[in-house]
Amino acid sequence: TIKTEFSGDGDNYGCRAWCIDAESGERVQGPKVDWNMVKAEGWHKDKGTQRSKWATMPDLMFVYRAASYLIRTNYPD
């Protein structure tokens, strides 16, 4: 099960996803996704006529990105 935690203020506000590894029993965490990363990657910008979900539901988008990075960086297979 993937868990998330939010922390920070302003551009440092963001989310980190983590889980307990089934084999080792250790906590495994992914990188923190914060507003600095969102802005640097341009995820918050509208794409043509499609409005960015970062403007309307940022906490959900933080969870999606953080979970994705947890899996990609720790369990790529």
Side-chain angles (χ1 to χ4, degrees), residues 11-12 44 54 59 75:
D11 284 347
N12 292 315
H44 65 299
W54 284 96
D59 282 349
Y75 302 100

Side-chain angles (χ1 to χ4, degrees), residues 12-72:
N12 292 315
Y13 176 79
C15 181
R16 181 184 308 274
W18 62 276
C19 66
I20 301 298
D21 186 81
E23 290 182 22
S24 69
E26 293 181 29
R27 178 183 164 125
V28 177
Q29 63 184 29
K32 182 178 177 183
V33 178
D34 60 17
W35 278 115
N36 288 313
M37 182 186 291
V38 171
K39 292 174 181 179
E41 294 297 324
W43 297 331
H44 65 299
K45 296 180 181 175
D46 295 341
K47 308 285 191 272
T49 59
Q50 185 178 4
R51 185 147 187 224
S52 172
K53 295 296 183 189
W54 284 96
T56 57
M57 51 181 69
D59 282 349
L60 181 60
M61 296 305 294
F62 275 122
V63 169
Y64 287 166
R65 289 286 182 169
S68 174
Y69 282 145
L70 166 70
I71 293 165
R72 289 179 181 169

